[in-house]
Amino acid sequence: MSRRVVSQTLALKIWEKCVDAVKGANDVVDIPFSNDRASWDTFLQGVNDTLDPLHLAIKTTHVQSNGQEICMLVNAKSDDVAQVATDYTATEITYFKAVVEQIMLAPHESYSVTSLAALREVGALKINMTKSQAEIVLSSFVANGWLTKSKHGRYSLSLRTLIELESYLRNNFPDELLECTLCEETVTEGIACYTANCKARLHTHCYAKYKRQKQICPACSVNWSSDANLRKLLPIGEEAFKTGQEQSKRRTRPATTESDESEDEMDMDMSQPTQTHTNGASINVDEEEATPPPRAQRRIVRRR
């Protein structure tokens, strides 16, 4: 709970150490440990059944770049009540939604925005927030694991956001939320087929594994075997960004009744830190202890 995100390897080690800690404790607790996938899946299902009344769940996913499997503690409930307990004001949550929108609508499936574009949302929203305050809030979004910031200074959605806010993203950006053709998980970093109208999208790690076995597109079957064709594959994510794109008109999605209603479904329980790296590289969460993130500005409301 203190780290929120851990590798699959560390999750297994924690399970093993917990069993060792209670072993022989008056034979009251009997939780066997077995280092195989089937046993882990059964154990995890039992944990999630217990966590369900608390509206929490441990979900597994993969780092898009290298395929590392991670376990993530997420809030499994989406309602307005959960937002009351967050560290963020309504204004800051509105700003977060605006930044997410610009990331999802980024051209050429680049799924990232510059710091300048993120700060530009303050003026577009006409909210009571200065750009200096917005910089602090953006840093807090990164520290709490809702956004990642690359070494080039571009913001993108974190794995936590992709997993915990999946229903919100699907409701509001159904056309922009892509799935990997191979593993069917959300993809915002990887490659796309260059054939016109081909729907093939692959995570970086899925593509690396796939090309060792086959040299054709899994959707349209075009030949990818030659070096010339490999160079034509289109990037997904920050590498798809082209200089000058964000100097164009700010992008917005058409307002619909369905998407307006789904705005209330964003559940951002931001009170717990997330141990992630923000340089767009692989997540390494095995060794470091979680450190408290900088806190966003809070609005104190006194109630009678």
Side-chain angles (χ1 to χ4, degrees):
M1 291 185 71
S2 64
R3 302 188 187 194
R4 196 107 188 191
V5 178
V6 298
S7 68
Q8 170 74 4
T9 302
L10 181 56
L12 284 171
K13 181 59 66 174
I14 292 173
W15 178 24
E16 181 182 10
K17 292 297 183 181
C18 287
V19 171
D20 289 342
V22 300
K23 189 177 296 182
N26 299 322
D27 296 325
V28 175
V29 181
D30 182 18
I31 306 176
F33 169 78
S34 181
N35 191 14
D36 63 82
R37 187 70 198 202
S39 298
W40 165 254
D41 290 342
T42 300
F43 172 71
L44 189 59
Q45 182 60 53
V47 171
N48 282 332
D49 289 343
T50 306
L51 289 176
D52 185 63
L54 303 177
H55 306 296
L56 295 172
I58 296 176
K59 294 188 177 182
T60 60
T61 188
H62 296 84
V63 179
Q64 297 187 63
S65 59
N66 62 12
Q68 180 189 18
E69 187 173 6
I70 61 173
C71 299
M72 184 182 308
L73 179 67
V74 301
N75 192 322
K77 184 179 182 180
S78 294
D79 60 14
D80 291 335
V81 176
Q83 293 188 18
V84 177
T86 71
D87 284 344
Y88 291 89
T89 66
T91 297
E92 290 162 347
I93 292 176
T94 298
Y95 178 53
F96 177 79
K97 291 178 179 179
V99 174
V100 168
E101 180 178 21
Q102 293 307 301
I103 291 173
M104 292 301 298
L105 299 180
H108 303 290
E109 298 177 357
S110 57
Y111 294 109
S112 60
V113 295
T114 63
S115 298
L116 181 62
L119 293 174
R120 185 174 58 190
E121 290 304 294
V122 174
L125 292 171
K126 296 180 174 58
I127 56 179
N128 185 24
M129 180 186 294
T130 67
K131 288 190 176 181
S132 296
Q133 291 171 331
E135 288 179 333
I136 296 173
V137 175
L138 281 171
S139 296
S140 183
F141 291 155
V142 173
N144 279 325
W146 294 106
L147 298 176
T148 63
K149 186 176 182 181
S150 73
K151 61 183 179 182
H152 301 296
R154 295 183 64 82
Y155 292 96
S156 57
L157 302 186
S158 67
L159 281 174
R160 179 183 183 183
T161 294
L162 292 174
I163 296 296
E164 192 159 344
L165 303 183
E166 181 181 10
S167 61
Y168 171 82
L169 296 174
R170 289 193 180 280
N171 287 335
N172 287 274
F173 309 101
D175 297 329
E176 290 79 19
L177 196 65
L178 305 175
E179 288 186 351
C180 176
T181 306
L182 298 179
C183 73
E184 299 184 348
E185 291 186 7
T186 301
V187 55
T188 57
E189 181 182 344
I191 64 102
C193 182
Y194 52 80
T195 304
N197 300 321
C198 180
K199 302 298 183 181
R201 302 293 186 273
L202 283 72
H203 292 119
T204 302
H205 73 91
C206 288
Y207 168 63
K209 184 184 299 184
Y210 177 79
K211 70 179 182 180
R212 291 195 294 265
Q213 301 174 349
K214 298 182 179 180
Q215 298 294 324
I216 61 173
C217 173
C220 70
S221 298
V222 68
N223 194 330
W224 287 352
S225 60
S226 69
D227 291 340
N229 286 347
L230 288 176
R231 285 193 293 269
K232 289 193 295 183
L233 292 174
L234 304 174
I236 299 173
E238 185 172 341
E239 292 184 7
F241 168 74
K242 298 178 181 179
T243 303
Q245 284 178 344
E246 287 164 327
Q247 295 177 1
S248 58
K249 185 178 179 181
R250 176 178 176 269
R251 293 177 174 248
T252 58
R253 58 183 169 83
T256 62
T257 302
E258 180 180 353
S259 61
D260 289 341
E261 291 175 351
S262 62
E263 290 287 337
D264 293 333
E265 294 180 3
M266 176 175 282
D267 175 11
M268 297 170 60
D269 183 7
M270 297 183 172
S271 58
Q272 297 190 50
T274 301
Q275 189 75 2
T276 60
H277 287 278
T278 58
N279 59 1
S282 62
I283 294 180
N284 183 359
V285 290
D286 287 6
E287 302 297 336
E288 299 178 3
E289 293 293 333
T291 56
R295 298 178 68 83
Q297 294 177 336
R298 300 187 66 180
R299 179 177 60 191
I300 300 176
V301 179
R302 299 186 181 279
R303 299 182 179 180
R304 294 182 178 180

